Amino acid sequence: MDIHVDKDACVGCGLCVKDCPMHVYELQDSVSVAVRPNNCMGCLSCHEICPAQALEHRGIYAARRHYIDIKVCEMLRKVV
Amino acid sequence: MSAGYIDELHEAFHSDLVYRSEEIPLECSPKPKEMEQTLHGVMKLNGLVIRSLEEIAGRGANAVTYRAGKKFGHEVAKYFQKREDVEGALHELSDLLRGQYSFEVWKPEDKETFIIEENGETFIYLVFHDCIVRQTLRRNGLDQGGPLCQTLFGYVVGAIEEITGRKAKLEIVHTGPNACLKKLVLK
């Protein structure tokens, strides 16, 4: 697993550090650093919780997403 | 109600198809893409049932759904090959859950084996990737780890018990939008 933290975007809130049960992240100089990327099981709750959207995971298995309402997404795409 | 509308309805539900009861269907009808609305309908309904159950039964809802899942797990797994080894049982379980759930056996990097012994208990970490329960909860904006998750817990425990003949327990360690970490405790 390759985890990239955008140092410029990270606000150092430490939410990912608190949230991850496998202690993948640590705060170093007020920036989150993925110190144990091999412990990541790819739940992506850190993505959901990060207020700065500073995280990027590579080589991850993306779970099937049935819950997406395609009609709503099509409408949103027109707006966003 | 106008006659025109009734005629329109009749026409919509009329075809020249010859249906014979002995014919065994070999594919779903309609095509999966056309099933999207049905799937969303089922997910919404499940979400509402669970939400209402939680409102009425409170914490007791977990026990009800766990029991239901466990019964289902025992029921389904009784037709599968009995295995004594946990690895084989998980393989059977993986086949059993195919299409609805996918999981892998997982371990933190500091552990040497997948079967972990810690604080007097033996357990295996399972990472659930594809999960119809998670999809349903997220579709309805419900929290993960509640009564609907208990049905999956019960299902896995029931199936493992049925396949191995050993008592088991499943604990939730962490939930996420893409995967959930669970601990299968073997007794």
Side-chain angles (χ1 to χ4, degrees):
Chain A
M1 185 78 70
D2 186 14
I3 305 171
H4 176 72
V5 182
D6 185 339
K7 287 182 181 170
D8 296 327
C10 177
V11 292
C13 65
L15 284 174
C16 54
V17 181
K18 280 184 199 159
D19 184 57
C20 181
M22 289 300 147
H23 313 293
V24 167
Y25 302 98
E26 262 177 25
L27 273 186
Q28 292 176 3
D29 299 325
S30 297
V31 172
S32 178
V33 177
V35 286
R36 294 177 199 88
N38 291 336
N39 265 1
C40 176
M41 30 104 186
C43 72
L44 297 188
S45 63
C46 52
H47 276 239
E48 206 161 54
I49 212 166
C50 178
Q53 298 185 345
L55 304 169
E56 191 178 282
H57 283 63
R58 286 175 195 169
I60 200 162
Y61 173 82
R64 292 181 200 177
R65 291 193 287 179
H66 304 310
Y67 63 88
I68 289 170
D69 195 322
I70 293 171
K71 276 183 190 161
V72 172
C73 288
E74 279 170 354
M75 274 193 279
L76 280 173
R77 274 193 181 183
K78 284 178 191 167
V79 180
V80 180
Chain B
M1 203 179 289
S2 70
Y5 174 65
I6 292 171
D7 289 343
E8 229 175 79
L9 271 181
H10 281 166
E11 206 168 307
F13 290 104
H14 182 266
S15 82
D16 297 326
L17 181 82
V18 180
Y19 185 87
R20 295 184 185 91
S21 56
E22 68 272 21
E23 277 176 5
I24 300 165
L26 291 173
E27 57 185 29
C28 285
S29 156
K31 290 193 171 78
K33 173 74 189 144
E34 291 164 39
M35 295 284 278
E36 193 195 337
Q37 276 182 318
T38 312
L39 178 67
H40 279 255
V42 173
M43 288 200 289
K44 273 186 209 165
L45 181 68
N46 270 335
L48 287 170
V49 168
I50 287 297
R51 188 177 288 176
S52 307
L53 182 65
E54 213 172 0
E55 280 168 7
I56 293 166
R59 289 181 66 187
N62 285 347
V64 174
T65 48
Y66 179 80
R67 179 81 183 146
K70 198 170 171 182
K71 271 192 155 183
F72 192 35
H74 275 287
E75 195 64 33
V76 174
K78 70 182 177 191
Y79 301 108
F80 275 66
Q81 194 185 345
K82 302 287 173 273
R83 309 283 291 250
E84 277 182 22
D85 60 313
V86 181
E87 197 186 322
L90 287 171
H91 190 80
E92 290 285 328
L93 183 67
S94 172
D95 284 343
L96 195 70
L97 299 176
R98 195 177 300 277
Q100 300 167 62
Y101 310 95
S102 70
F103 69 87
E104 66 172 326
V105 178
W106 187 84
K107 69 174 183 63
E109 62 180 347
D110 61 328
K111 302 289 178 202
E112 284 178 6
T113 56
F114 287 104
I115 298 178
I116 301 164
E117 283 183 33
E118 215 172 69
N119 303 326
E121 63 178 15
T122 308
F123 61 88
I124 301 168
Y125 281 124
L126 300 176
V127 175
F128 277 78
H129 294 288
D130 297 310
C131 175
I132 190 68
V133 167
R134 193 186 316 125
Q135 309 289 329
T136 303
L137 293 171
R138 296 184 80 80
R139 177 69 182 82
N140 289 281
L142 295 168
D143 287 339
Q144 287 173 248
L148 199 55
C149 284
Q150 294 293 327
T151 54
L152 173 62
F153 285 18
Y155 191 59
V156 171
V157 168
I160 288 286
E161 284 184 357
E162 190 67 37
I163 295 167
T164 61
R166 288 172 73 176
K167 287 274 172 202
K169 192 174 86 173
L170 197 68
E171 287 174 10
I172 195 155
V173 180
H174 190 69
T175 59
N178 196 55
C180 297
L181 181 64
K182 278 150 193 178
K183 194 168 143 181
L184 179 67
V185 185
L186 303 161
K187 292 179 181 172

